[in-house]
Amino acid sequence: MLSAEEKAVAMHPFDEMYPVAAAPDAEAVPTRAHYQRYAQWLAGQSAEHMRARREEAEVIFRRVGITFAVYGESDDGDDTERLIPFDLIPRIIPAAEWALLERGLVQRVSALNHFIHDVYHGQEILRAGVVPSEQVLNNSQYRAVMQGLTLPNQVYAHIAGIDLVRAGNAQGGGDYYVLEDNLRVPSGVSYMLENRKMMMRLFPDLFREHQVAPVAHYPDLLLETLRTSCPRKTADPTVVVLTPGMYNSAYFEHAFLAQQMGIELVEGQDLFVKDEFVYMRTTRGPQRVDVIYRRVDDDFLDPEVFRPDSTLGCAGLMAACRAGNVGICNGVGTGVADDKSIYPYVPKMIEFYLGEKPILNNVPTFMCRDPDDLGHVLAHLEELVVKEVHGAGGYGMLVGPAATRAEVERFRAALRAAPDNYIAQPTLSLSSCPTYVDSGIAPRHIDLRPFVLSGTEVRMVPGGLTRVALKEGSLVVNSSQGGGTKDTWVLEDDSK
């Protein structure tokens, strides 16, 4: 039988820095091997010094304009601009651990691209009964206009943001799980890059003492990836970033990436289609566009095919795409593979297309459209996380253990009315990482979003964006729900 102390350790979530649970005022707390050098440095920093660095970071971020929009959140109902809180304590990942994650990410994204190509071509996985046909062909993200259209390198999800969480306890260790696949217009990479620049500015001595793998070359890799999606053979394809405009919550990122890649940032009104070719209006006259890195959802891309009232896209864009005259990244219709109702089948996709066992695990998932699963979910709502299959940004979900009785009952009614719209998962004990909060340094739950680029090969920079739930006990890391971010360090050499 476990002692009281052993039970406390077993219940404590896996912490990235500390191998055991410890009281905040403990004098000698052991740290994990890859954190030891950083922990020694941190112990030598005064509270005043770290507070000053936090304030400096906030001033710089605000000056640069690193904000995101939160719609309808101000007191008068207007949209607001907020800084995403930045935490000074990095999340550190050992080289060997990252190597395993990288293999798993390459495997998963490769299978997802196989799946999307198959869905819009032979549909072999549907005919084999591995994925139910109705889940794909009746999916709101399935785009019939893409049927039979082969994209360069058979890649549809050129940029994927795969959300990873680590679950477990301090005693048993923590295993990584894929929480969801973001394949439509994944965001957040600008914060990954700016977080690193900030840390190097504030604490240059840390980077002299640690061999941290670089991430600054991400824009170069992104541009190379986009260029490989050009449907015509040309040594110098014209690539643009298509943004919905300055009022979009991720506009900073759109402008930042265009600037970093040295390409034009355009809105729908800056483009036009003539004879199934896409052109950009410039002061020197029309210029042909070969590749569009679109940050506009499918529904708003082309009013001739999707929403006729959209002013965010460009009429005729899909005709140009189908004629092979422009590449669109990510491909139209990729959302069929990142829908939460499709997520449970990704391990089977890996086995079907690659003949391999999944390296990264899914979170066990109940599909509420199944009567047996629905019955279990309704009976255990207070213990589960329930999500809308098309939900994003932390909205449209129930975290059972943290919900009020009224919230639970509201979701119970919604599940009974439209069970197909929901999945449910166990409430994982997400790993934590020491984080600066108002009361000092305290553990807060985190996740990790690596950005995976697929062109002629699958590549990524080491690490990704670590998001942190700043509210004590919260498991929701999304910036729109009060979350912040950390710099993510992947060590190049575990022995140093």
Side-chain angles (χ1 to χ4, degrees):
M1 181 176 293
L2 294 177
S3 66
E5 181 179 355
E6 290 172 328
K7 288 181 180 179
V9 170
M11 293 175 61
H12 188 77
F14 183 94
D15 191 274
E16 301 291 335
M17 188 169 177
Y18 300 116
V20 296
D25 57 352
E27 293 185 3
V29 181
T31 57
R32 301 190 187 280
H34 58 285
Y35 260 104
Q36 286 179 358
R37 183 174 294 182
Y38 175 81
Q40 292 170 359
W41 175 89
L42 183 61
Q45 309 305 306
S46 68
E48 292 76 14
H49 174 73
M50 297 301 286
R51 188 179 304 112
R53 298 289 77 78
R54 289 178 69 191
E55 293 172 356
E56 182 180 350
E58 181 173 338
V59 169
I60 295 172
F61 277 145
R62 193 172 295 280
R63 183 185 305 147
V64 174
I66 305 176
T67 61
F68 70 102
V70 181
Y71 302 121
E73 289 293 320
S74 64
D75 293 339
D76 58 5
D78 292 334
D79 301 341
T80 61
E81 290 284 333
R82 294 183 186 173
L83 288 177
I84 294 183
F86 168 67
D87 186 59
L88 299 181
I89 300 180
R91 190 244 189 95
I92 303 179
I93 301 174
E97 187 174 293
W98 173 252
L100 177 65
L101 291 178
E102 186 174 34
R103 291 198 302 273
L105 291 165
V106 170
Q107 179 195 63
R108 188 175 183 97
V109 172
S110 297
L112 286 165
N113 270 308
H114 277 294
F115 172 71
I116 303 170
H117 178 79
D118 186 20
V119 162
Y120 292 115
H121 291 82
Q123 301 183 348
E124 294 179 8
I125 200 167
L126 306 186
R127 289 189 283 108
V130 176
V131 179
S133 296
E134 64 273 13
Q135 285 302 113
V136 173
L137 303 181
N138 295 334
N139 193 296
S140 65
Q141 296 300 315
Y142 171 77
R143 307 300 184 189
V145 69
M146 294 296 290
Q147 196 64 44
L149 179 58
T150 299
L151 303 187
N153 308 305
Q154 297 188 9
V155 171
Y156 293 73
H158 306 84
I159 304 98
I162 309 299
D163 290 346
L164 303 175
V165 295
R166 195 174 197 171
N169 56 59
Q171 187 179 55
D175 296 321
Y176 281 98
Y177 294 86
V178 176
L179 190 62
E180 61 181 52
D181 306 293
N182 299 283
L183 307 179
R184 281 173 267 185
V185 284
S187 63
V189 75
S190 60
Y191 304 111
M192 175 192 80
L193 295 170
E194 289 294 332
N195 287 352
R196 175 60 54 83
K197 286 171 59 178
M198 182 61 69
M199 286 292 284
M200 294 181 73
R201 174 173 180 157
L202 298 178
F203 308 112
D205 52 324
L206 282 174
F207 290 89
R208 288 192 292 268
E209 297 173 7
H210 293 77
Q211 290 189 326
V212 181
V215 298
H217 58 296
Y218 175 86
D220 295 332
L221 292 182
L222 175 59
L223 183 57
E224 289 177 24
T225 299
L226 296 172
R227 289 164 66 96
T228 65
S229 68
C230 178
R232 67 168 173 149
K233 292 184 178 180
T234 175
D236 189 24
T238 298
V239 183
V240 300
V241 177
L242 175 62
T243 177
M246 63 182 296
Y247 296 108
N248 183 267
S249 62
Y251 180 74
F252 165 79
E253 176 157 295
H254 307 164
F256 174 86
L257 289 175
Q259 186 272 332
Q260 291 291 306
M261 289 188 286
I263 62 178
E264 293 295 330
L265 178 70
V266 301
E267 297 183 27
Q269 61 191 1
D270 300 319
L271 303 176
F272 68 92
V273 175
K274 182 178 180 181
D275 299 328
E276 297 187 332
F277 290 94
V278 180
Y279 295 91
M280 168 176 53
R281 295 182 173 91
T282 77
T283 56
R284 291 167 294 182
Q287 180 179 352
R288 181 174 170 182
V289 173
D290 298 299
V291 179
I292 298 173
Y293 175 26
R294 53 86 172 229
R295 300 299 296 262
V296 175
D297 289 337
D298 286 359
D299 286 339
F300 301 94
L301 270 179
D302 185 345
E304 292 183 354
V305 176
F306 302 117
R307 287 185 52 159
D309 60 340
S310 173
T311 59
L312 301 179
C314 174
L317 196 57
M318 289 309 303
C321 179
R322 288 198 60 84
N325 294 328
V326 71
I328 300 176
C329 304
N330 283 348
V332 172
T334 56
V336 74
D338 78 358
D339 187 281
K340 292 180 177 65
S341 68
I342 298 297
Y343 162 90
Y345 299 101
V346 178
K348 293 181 179 180
M349 293 178 198
I350 292 171
E351 295 189 27
F352 185 83
Y353 295 114
L354 306 181
E356 301 169 357
K357 293 294 183 182
I359 296 171
L360 298 174
N361 294 319
N362 267 21
V363 178
T365 302
F366 298 99
M367 293 176 278
C368 296
R369 68 176 183 275
D370 179 275
D372 291 338
D373 281 7
L374 177 62
H376 176 86
V377 171
L378 290 173
H380 298 86
L381 266 182
E382 295 83 354
E383 307 164 19
L384 300 170
V385 175
V386 182
K387 303 176 182 178
E388 288 182 344
V389 295
H390 304 310
Y395 295 104
M397 62 184 291
L398 173 81
V399 181
T404 64
R405 181 178 296 275
E407 290 169 336
V408 169
E409 293 309 313
R410 189 158 56 247
F411 261 79
R412 192 185 307 278
L415 282 165
R416 285 174 171 156
D420 289 6
N421 290 343
Y422 296 91
I423 64 166
Q425 297 169 331
T427 306
L428 299 180
S429 180
L430 302 189
S431 69
S432 62
C433 188
T435 300
Y436 270 100
V437 294
D438 291 341
S439 59
I441 298 178
R444 290 294 184 265
H445 295 297
I446 59 173
D447 77 350
L448 175 65
R449 177 176 289 184
F451 295 91
V452 185
L453 302 175
S454 300
T456 54
E457 57 183 315
V458 182
R459 298 185 293 180
M460 68 201 80
V461 297
L465 179 66
T466 290
R467 301 183 297 178
V468 54
L470 295 176
K471 297 177 183 177
E472 184 175 4
S474 174
L475 299 174
V476 182
V477 300
N478 305 78
S479 56
S480 56
Q481 304 290 305
T485 65
K486 290 174 171 283
D487 192 13
T488 308
W489 295 4
V490 172
L491 301 182
E492 293 184 314
D493 188 348
D494 289 345
S495 64
K496 299 294 181 66

